[in-house]
Amino acid sequence: MSTEDQETVRGAGASRRAILGMAVAAPALIAVAGPVSAKTADPWADAIIVNALGGLSNPNTRDEDNESSIARGVRKPRRLDARTIQDARLSGVTAVNCTLGYVAGDGDPYEVSVASVAQYDRMVREQSSDLIKVLSAADILRAKRENKIGLIYGFQNAVMVGDSLERIDVFNDLGVRIIQLTYNPANHLGDGSMAPENRGLTPFGHEVVARLNANRIMVDLSHSGQQTCLDAARASTQPISINHTGCRALTDLPRNKTDEELKLVADKGGFVGIYFMPFLNKEGKVRAVDIVEHIEHALKVCGEDHVGIGTDGPITQIDDMETYKSALAREVADRKARGIGATGEGPETYPFAIDLRGPTQFRDLADRLKARGHSTTRIEKILGGNFVRYAKDIWGA
């Protein structure tokens, strides 16, 4: 990491300390200056913030209760530690689309996915003072009112459907609200972004899209190949989403979406979330300026009612970057060996923005957009309002 990067990372850590310091100092300030409204103290306090693909975890601890444990047949209850909850609350996030179920690896995809939902359900029950399971758009609004964190259950692969459309009905009954058709490789529904043939949606993929529509489950085209995305958007009788992506017009990498894909999704009433991933520039060291640039391009293509954020990362930041870099190198090598990696990811890239990390990331982004001349109304749409509008269309109010 360069000296400049190290300073930026240290600065991001300082942001978290600054927030905590402000929390401690706030009562004294109010005593001197008199009461201030939450809106005055935090201009984004009223905003609903929805991370259309993210997660809640502490990357600084060894999580023995993660999804890989389920794949090995270990059924330990997963819990969120105090720092993860605290950081989520400090960030102001209202709801997060969390990846559950099978993505790749060992285990039967269906069994792994059902066990994962059960594990999350138990976590929500045991931490109900902090968490809400989101089944409708109203639950996102309730999470905001009750100062809780809404968990949206989503899959990042649809292989667990197998050849049984009835399984989609089961997932709906279990509370899964988003299903992504493919991961990076091809599956029996269509080609992922890294499948060179770009063959599009299969006949069974068309049946799956229709069944997802019937169950009012969001059809997510993140990670899909270009033709699969276009085919699914045209086949769907309901608006679809690309919950975490970038703009290929700015950075020509397979994980990013073309203007044709973005526009079709928006024209049909859908939603596009911009991620904080290394695919936003060719160096793989993404900064806030790259995220703003991709958001602004998406706004031009899609319009301000269809763009949001899906960071593809947790809120809690990494404390020890040197240790993390070693772990990242191993993970990238493993993904490549298993054939699930993507062009643009590597041991020297980071799956987060260097200068937009930790609990301040959403407010920092909002401030940067404000400085660029975007209105408060538009920014609040990007932070979460557009996702809520889309969720009402699919799940109901």
Side-chain angles (χ1 to χ4, degrees):
M1 185 185 297
S2 68
T3 301
E4 180 185 1
D5 288 350
Q6 291 173 2
E7 289 301 320
T8 303
V9 168
R10 281 195 289 268
S15 296
R16 179 174 183 273
R17 291 191 295 273
I19 288 179
L20 295 174
M22 287 168 61
V24 172
L29 291 173
I30 292 173
V32 173
V36 293
S37 69
K39 190 71 173 177
T40 302
D42 175 7
W44 309 110
D46 295 337
I48 292 174
I49 300 175
V50 179
N51 193 349
L53 192 286
L56 295 174
S57 64
N58 184 348
N60 305 292
T61 62
R62 183 171 179 268
D63 183 4
E64 295 181 348
D65 300 330
N66 60 19
E67 300 305 326
S68 62
S69 298
I70 294 177
R72 294 193 302 272
V74 179
R75 297 287 299 278
K76 296 180 180 179
R78 187 180 190 275
R79 287 188 63 84
L80 301 182
D81 68 7
R83 179 174 175 186
T84 301
I85 293 291
Q86 180 188 51
D87 285 352
R89 289 188 175 281
L90 288 171
S91 77
V93 73
T94 310
V96 183
N97 170 22
C98 299
T99 300
L100 281 71
Y102 182 93
V103 178
D106 300 327
D108 176 79
Y110 181 73
E111 292 180 1
V112 168
S113 300
V114 172
S116 178
V117 171
Q119 188 185 55
Y120 265 73
D121 279 348
R122 180 171 180 174
M123 179 178 70
V124 171
R125 289 195 303 271
E126 294 185 348
Q127 298 183 266
S128 60
S129 61
D130 297 304
L131 306 174
I132 287 177
K133 180 177 179 177
V134 172
L135 299 175
S136 67
D139 288 330
I140 299 177
L141 304 181
R142 182 164 69 93
K144 180 68 176 179
R145 288 195 308 272
E146 297 180 6
N147 191 30
K148 295 182 180 180
I149 304 154
L151 300 188
I152 304 167
Y153 290 11
F155 293 163
Q156 278 207 72
N157 203 336
V159 291
M160 67 285 290
V161 172
D163 60 0
S164 172
L165 293 174
E166 289 76 15
R167 288 183 176 181
I168 296 173
D169 307 340
V170 173
F171 294 137
N172 179 50
D173 291 341
L174 291 174
V176 177
R177 287 297 174 260
I178 301 171
I179 295 184
Q180 184 177 289
L181 296 188
T182 74
Y183 196 60
N184 289 327
N187 64 19
H188 63 310
L189 308 185
D191 280 9
S193 61
M194 293 306 300
E197 295 84 3
N198 191 29
R199 291 171 296 189
L201 201 64
T202 67
F204 186 66
H206 280 269
E207 293 183 52
V208 167
V209 169
R211 196 63 162 243
L212 292 171
N213 288 164
N215 279 277
R216 307 196 71 81
I217 295 174
M218 288 183 182
V219 179
D220 183 4
L221 277 301
S222 306
H223 286 268
S224 69
Q226 180 180 4
Q227 195 59 49
T228 297
C229 180
L230 295 172
D231 289 351
R234 291 171 181 141
S236 179
T237 58
Q238 296 170 359
I240 61 96
S241 63
I242 308 171
N243 284 340
H244 60 299
T245 191
C247 304
R248 197 179 296 188
L250 300 183
T251 311
D252 188 10
L253 289 171
R255 272 290 284 112
N256 295 331
K257 293 298 185 182
T258 63
D259 285 358
E260 182 184 12
E261 294 167 273
L262 298 174
K263 188 174 188 304
L264 179 60
V265 168
D267 286 348
K268 296 198 69 174
F271 170 86
V272 173
I274 300 299
Y275 48 32
F276 293 12
M277 292 292 281
F279 313 111
L280 297 188
N281 70 39
K282 283 297 184 70
E283 295 178 0
K285 300 286 182 67
V286 173
R287 298 179 183 276
V289 64
D290 300 306
I291 297 166
V292 169
E293 184 180 15
H294 280 256
I295 287 174
E296 290 183 334
H297 183 83
L299 288 169
K300 291 177 184 177
V301 174
C302 302
E304 69 173 38
D305 294 325
H306 304 280
V307 179
I309 51 174
T311 68
D312 204 3
I315 294 169
T316 297
Q317 68 183 32
I318 296 147
D319 297 333
D320 183 347
M321 285 299 298
E322 291 308 312
T323 299
Y324 172 76
K325 285 167 65 177
S326 298
L328 177 64
R330 292 192 298 272
E331 180 183 350
V332 169
D334 179 64
R335 285 169 58 82
K336 183 176 181 180
R338 290 158 59 193
I340 61 171
T343 302
E345 64 180 53
E348 298 300 322
T349 68
Y350 301 136
F352 52 81
I354 293 172
D355 56 347
L356 204 62
R357 302 192 302 136
T360 64
Q361 59 186 276
F362 304 118
R363 289 179 175 87
D364 287 351
L365 176 62
D367 289 342
R368 289 173 184 271
L369 290 169
K370 189 72 173 177
R372 292 278 297 172
H374 298 280
S375 69
T376 297
T377 299
R378 174 181 288 177
I379 295 168
E380 289 183 344
K381 288 181 181 182
I382 294 168
L383 290 176
N386 285 337
F387 187 91
V388 173
R389 185 274 310 164
Y390 171 60
K392 287 179 180 178
D393 288 346
I394 307 303
W395 303 334

